Amino acid sequence: MADTDETGQEGEAAVAKGSTVDWRARIGLMLGPAIFVLFLLVPAPTGFDPAAWWVLGLTLFMATWWISEALPLPVTALLPIAILPVLDITSMENATAPYANPIIFLFMGGFAIALAVQRWDLHRRMALAIVARSGNRLHALVGAFMLATAGLSMWVSNTATAALMLPIALSVLGLIERGASPQGPGASAESRRPALALLLGIAFAANIGGMATIIGSPPNALTAAYLGDRHGMEIGFLEWMTLGLPLAAILLVLAWWLLTRWVFPVHRVELNGLRALLDEQRATVGRWSTAEKRVAAVFLLVALAWLTRPLLEGWLPISLTDAGIAILGAGLLFLIPSGSMEQRRLLAWDNTRELPWGVLLLVGGGLSLGAAIESSGLAELAADALVIAQTWPLILIMAGVVLLTMTLSHVTSNTATAATLLPLVTAFALSMDVPVLMLALPVAFAASVAFMLPVATPPNAIVFASNRLQVLDMVRGGALLSVVALVLISLAVYVFAEALLV
């Protein structure tokens, strides 16, 4: 759930995009359909099945609208339902089935639980509890902020997490800057280091945290669903965490070290009065309410059930699924009284207006497009076209997949990027006779490491909107980390993926 940038970029990221969106959207709105019509009018080249040729046109059509944001991203994700049956590429039943994939309901239940956590301010209490134990060194404070942000982003939308952490961070920066020189974009590089390290740390940690769990980011869920549907590989919550959590943890530590000791050195800065400020922040939260306790109990029960599902299935005469556990947990939140006069139950249906329904459509659209790319033969044709690369070492091919995914994720939705690339890289893996995991997982993980531009993800845009950063600051802070992420993801999947997830 960390990455809801697929539907939220029109809001938070708009601050960073400005008028750039207008001309890009206008061009994309006309260019996308024009490309598709061209593919319909021009006969398929020799060796191309007409269905594969038309699916290629649809893929380019959708990619153009996703990149340009000509229409809301979930609307574009509905195009397979409108177009595939009309062209007789697939039936309406097959085109719509991916929108009801079990992963969609895993996400739906997870989003509902996250809404309850946010509704009763439990996430703020958790964040402050971690940050308050950071000590009086600035590099330790940045580390605490990053730990709290990444931890929340494993379960709660990365947009909500960054929006929560930013005002707390700005309060701390206000304490640091009392009596100091101005800290805006025009201030000296040295005086701006604390703000740059702290704010970029929050943005990067919000993105990294989503790598750890299958519900942490839509590309994770999309990848798991695609591998299950098309290749019969079931990856559960626990299986994903065995690789995702260590990978995210290592990348988080490296991001903290690079930011605070290399790019923006702040490890020698001491803070006075920090304890009093954080105590004041925690006092505003107050004592644990009955609703908070009950939401925390449901949250912990669901997380525990996800982690112990294989054991539970061995002990109990029932068949459990991660999606079923998520929906059951969400159902409990609608049933359990809150103990508050504000709202009768822990969740009310009105609360679900804030649930990112668009993300569910976007994941479904990605799966539907991916199924069409594969069933039409387009994926196989694309793999054949890359025959030259089949002689390259696997680790080099994986690094290329990571680099391509990271690059595309800087300019378009990370879920859209994953939806477009997954059928292609898995077909390429099959043509090389290597496990599809080896190229599919790099796509999922790399989609979460777009660090260098404000428009890449909502956390980037949110911290950029604080008016404390320049674009070059984010490029500088994210460039080296992007190289580290490329190497780390490639090596981690290459060495551990098959052993941990098969």
Side-chain angles (χ1 to χ4, degrees):
M1 290 175 293
D3 289 311
T4 54
D5 61 308
E6 295 74 15
T7 56
Q9 281 181 321
E10 298 88 356
E12 289 86 353
V15 179
K17 292 180 179 179
S19 61
T20 304
V21 174
D22 296 334
W23 66 262
R24 195 171 72 182
R26 289 171 185 170
I27 293 174
L29 187 62
M30 296 180 291
L31 183 60
I35 292 173
F36 184 55
V37 170
L38 182 64
F39 272 78
L40 293 179
L41 296 177
V42 175
T46 304
F48 253 95
D49 184 274
W53 181 244
W54 294 336
V55 170
L56 176 58
L58 175 60
T59 301
L60 296 176
F61 178 12
M62 293 177 67
T64 301
W65 272 11
W66 272 334
I67 292 172
S68 65
E69 297 182 58
L71 292 180
L73 303 182
V75 175
T76 302
L78 292 171
L79 285 176
I81 299 176
I83 293 175
L84 293 176
V86 171
L87 296 178
D88 202 26
I89 295 171
T90 188
S91 66
M92 179 62 75
E93 290 78 6
N94 290 336
T96 55
Y99 295 83
N101 187 284
I103 288 290
I104 302 293
F105 294 95
L106 171 61
F107 246 62
M108 185 186 296
F111 281 146
I113 294 168
L115 278 179
V117 169
Q118 294 170 235
R119 168 63 182 84
W120 301 104
D121 246 6
L122 180 59
H123 59 324
R124 185 162 183 254
R125 183 183 299 279
M126 294 162 62
L128 285 171
I130 296 173
V131 173
R133 290 165 173 77
S134 61
N136 63 347
R137 290 271 187 171
L138 185 54
H139 73 287
L141 178 70
V142 173
F145 265 92
M146 293 179 70
L147 178 62
T149 303
L152 288 174
S153 195
M154 292 167 57
W155 313 97
V156 179
S157 149
N158 66 359
T159 304
T161 301
L164 163 73
M165 300 303 292
L166 181 62
I168 303 173
L170 292 177
S171 298
V172 172
L173 289 174
L175 173 68
I176 297 171
E177 294 162 5
R178 286 173 189 168
S181 56
Q183 298 296 308
S188 68
E190 185 174 353
S191 65
R192 294 173 61 229
R193 283 179 187 171
L196 296 178
L198 185 55
L199 296 179
L200 289 178
I202 290 172
F204 296 167
N207 295 325
I208 292 169
M211 299 168 65
T213 64
I214 203 169
I215 63 168
S217 173
N220 297 0
L222 178 63
T223 301
Y226 181 81
L227 291 175
D229 268 2
R230 311 306 301 179
H231 300 281
M233 302 179 63
E234 298 299 330
I235 301 177
F237 197 92
L238 180 60
E239 288 83 4
W240 188 280
M241 284 191 72
T242 56
L243 181 59
L245 183 58
L247 178 59
I250 293 170
L251 188 56
L252 185 70
V253 171
L254 291 174
W256 167 73
W257 188 87
L258 287 172
L259 278 176
T260 61
R261 289 182 176 264
W262 188 269
V263 185
F264 306 114
V266 294
H267 55 286
R268 291 188 175 89
V269 179
E270 291 194 18
L271 304 173
N272 296 316
L274 177 62
R275 176 67 60 185
L277 174 64
L278 293 177
D279 286 345
E280 178 184 333
Q281 291 273 349
R282 295 180 73 183
T284 62
V285 177
R287 300 179 62 182
W288 281 78
S289 67
T290 301
E292 280 183 281
K293 293 176 183 177
R294 292 174 181 175
V295 169
V298 173
F299 175 83
L300 291 174
L301 283 173
V302 169
L304 187 62
W306 277 331
L307 295 175
T308 61
R309 180 170 63 85
L311 292 175
L312 292 175
E313 287 184 318
W315 293 340
L316 302 173
I318 56 175
S319 179
L320 291 174
T321 63
D322 290 334
I325 292 169
I327 294 298
L328 179 60
L332 287 174
L333 293 171
F334 284 101
L335 285 171
I336 298 175
S338 68
S340 169
M341 297 295 294
E342 298 178 34
Q343 183 172 295
R344 186 180 175 189
R345 308 288 182 182
L346 294 177
L347 264 187
W349 185 249
D350 284 348
N351 300 144
T352 62
R353 293 175 181 174
E354 301 173 25
L355 194 149
W357 299 100
V359 173
L360 306 181
L361 290 177
L362 190 55
V363 172
L367 290 172
S368 186
L369 177 63
I373 289 174
E374 188 167 323
S375 63
S376 68
L378 177 59
E380 186 177 349
L381 288 169
D384 292 341
L386 296 172
V387 65
I388 297 177
Q390 293 181 10
T391 60
W392 297 356
L394 178 58
I395 187 68
L396 183 59
I397 295 174
M398 293 171 66
V401 170
V402 172
L403 179 60
L404 177 61
T405 307
M406 289 170 58
T407 302
L408 291 177
S409 292
H410 275 85
V411 295
T412 189
S413 151
N414 56 8
T415 305
T417 297
T420 305
L421 292 180
L422 278 171
L424 305 181
V425 300
T426 52
F428 186 51
L430 291 173
S431 71
M432 292 179 60
D433 198 26
V434 300
V436 293
L437 277 175
M438 305 304 282
L439 296 186
L441 289 179
V443 170
F445 290 132
S448 293
V449 291
F451 298 127
M452 292 194 294
L453 292 177
V455 299
T457 68
N460 292 11
I462 286 170
V463 300
F464 187 80
S466 68
N467 213 24
R468 300 294 192 102
L469 306 171
Q470 299 171 339
V471 173
L472 286 179
D473 294 327
M474 191 164 284
V475 173
R476 183 184 171 197
L480 187 55
L481 181 58
S482 295
V483 175
V484 170
L486 187 153
V487 174
L488 184 61
I489 291 171
S490 302
L491 288 176
V493 176
Y494 183 77
V495 175
F496 297 112
E498 280 193 278
L500 293 175
L501 297 180
V502 176

